[in-house]
Amino acid sequence: LSRYWTDFHEIEQIGNGNFSCVFKVLKRIDGCFYAVKKSTRLLHQDTERRKALMEVQALAALGFHENIVGYYSSWFENEQLFIQMELCDHSLSIRKPSKLSTEGELLEIIYQMAKALQFIHEKGIAHLDVKPDNIYIKNGVYKLGDFGCATLLDSTLPIEEGDARYMPQEVLNDNYDHLDKVDIFSLGAAIYELIRGSALPESGHLSLNLREGKLPLLPGHSVQFQNLLKAMIDPDPVRRPSAKELVKNPIFDRDQRTGKNHYS
Ligand code: ATP
Ligand code: MG
Ligand code: MG
């Protein structure tokens, strides 16, 4: 008897990753839509299972936050892991055609992701795969998703970091002393990619420059904004702002009158 087919009606496939595919489903008993992520590789071995379980254990340990893709439940079925999550509209992947974001929109993404990162870092977890692909949007709210690379901040186990294009130099040198700051660098690189409008290359001058903290000039963007991004990709993880410090940056100050950010 399949829990998946008993409890859910599969609507359509909405994405696929390296080891998984994601479906939009209707839960029969409550009449609501969800996203279900199924592992596509059979998890026979204990080590494979344990790695796959890190994702759900991180999600479950974190609990609810507005800027994190919601987690409902998970189970094994025929050696596949199923994860029932909040259904989002889409991710910020630059592979999907989208108009370039304004500075106000970019600041909103940084602010909301900084709040998500502050929340997970305070719970002792690093994401380690922050990139446009893993930032979702639902009803105008940005949500961090895909905790497939998440690890404990003080982990002594070898980490499995995410997409190398968004990784700072210290991680490539196998220095894992400030894993919270890895997420800050990745967020900075992700924002730069959104401005650029095309995928960051795997190697070459641009990626070298970013890892050295050299940001190309961003015409049309304020000096204050460019300095913020530069600080986020500082090659020294200690000098990079923490998520908590980012959230407090005056650049995000809210207009008391409208309750809106001054830049929106
Ligand atoms: P990768 O190996 O590339 O990191 P993955 O196997 O970890 O991928 P996810 O990134 O979690 O898988 O999901 C794959 C794709 O499915 C996403 O890029 C996105 O298009 C879609 N997707 C995942 N989760 C959701 C969700 N909650 N709501 C809407 N779409 C989703
Ligand atoms: Mg992903
Ligand atoms: Mg993943």
Side-chain angles (χ1 to χ4, degrees):
L1 196 74
S2 161
R3 171 164 172 189
Y4 182 62
W5 292 108
T6 304
D7 288 359
F8 300 94
H9 172 65
E10 194 169 88
I11 310 282
E12 61 181 337
Q13 185 167 352
I14 51 177
N16 55 273
N18 291 325
F19 305 114
S20 64
C21 44
V22 179
F23 290 86
K24 175 180 177 176
V25 300
L26 177 73
K27 188 165 186 193
R28 300 182 202 274
I29 201 166
D30 64 17
C32 290
F33 293 109
Y34 297 92
V36 168
K37 181 170 171 173
K38 308 179 194 174
S39 57
T40 44
R41 260 207 327 205
L42 300 182
L43 307 169
H44 311 286
Q45 289 167 2
D46 266 8
T47 46
E48 281 184 326
R49 272 177 183 252
R50 232 177 292 132
K51 243 194 310 183
L53 284 176
M54 267 305 291
E55 178 169 0
V56 290
Q57 286 169 355
L59 283 168
L62 285 169
F64 176 81
H65 189 280
E66 193 189 10
N67 301 116
I68 292 178
V69 176
Y71 164 76
Y72 291 94
S73 72
S74 55
W75 66 96
F76 268 112
E77 201 168 300
N78 303 324
E79 300 193 319
Q80 275 181 295
L81 177 64
F82 287 69
I83 308 175
Q84 181 195 353
M85 303 174 283
E86 173 182 13
L87 178 68
C88 298
D89 299 336
H90 58 86
S91 82
L92 299 184
S93 168
I94 45 80
R95 274 172 291 164
K96 290 163 196 139
S98 67
K99 54 178 168 48
L100 294 183
S101 310
T102 63
E103 187 166 307
E105 284 163 353
L106 295 167
L107 282 170
E108 197 57 50
I109 299 169
I110 299 173
Y111 182 68
Q112 293 187 26
M113 286 303 99
K115 282 201 292 183
L117 291 176
Q118 179 183 3
F119 179 77
I120 74 169
H121 293 165
E122 278 173 359
K123 300 214 165 180
I125 289 171
H127 185 279
L128 301 188
D129 200 15
V130 176
K131 55 177 175 176
D133 220 16
N134 291 336
I135 300 174
Y136 293 87
I137 183 158
K138 184 188 177 190
N139 300 331
V141 178
Y142 297 102
K143 291 168 188 272
L144 182 60
D146 189 358
F147 281 70
C149 295
T151 186
L152 296 176
L153 278 177
D154 56 10
S155 177
T156 49
L157 299 168
I159 66 159
E160 195 178 338
E161 69 264 17
D163 199 321
R165 290 174 299 164
Y166 309 87
M167 289 298 134
Q169 188 59 47
E170 77 264 14
V171 162
L172 305 183
N173 297 346
D174 293 334
N175 175 352
Y176 305 135
D177 288 343
H178 304 280
L179 290 181
D180 55 335
K181 301 297 186 71
V182 175
D183 288 339
I184 303 296
F185 180 95
S186 303
L187 179 58
I191 296 295
Y192 173 68
E193 183 176 88
L194 293 176
I195 296 170
R196 193 174 119 94
S198 62
L200 289 184
E202 309 244 346
S203 59
H205 284 303
L206 176 63
S207 52
L208 280 176
N209 283 344
L210 286 181
R211 288 198 185 102
E212 286 173 3
K214 292 180 204 144
L215 191 69
L217 261 183
L218 304 176
H221 286 279
S222 68
V223 175
Q224 201 189 10
F225 176 81
Q226 296 187 52
N227 286 341
L228 176 73
L229 268 195
K230 238 183 257 170
M232 291 172 72
I233 61 162
D234 195 298
D236 180 356
V238 178
R239 291 213 318 241
R240 253 171 249 154
S242 66
K244 190 177 177 180
E245 286 163 347
L246 260 186
V247 166
K248 282 194 276 190
N249 191 306
I251 202 170
F252 303 117
D253 279 352
R254 288 178 182 255
D255 183 329
Q256 295 305 310
R257 248 177 333 107
T258 60
K260 284 190 164 179
N261 286 0
H262 60 71
Y263 46 75
S264 59

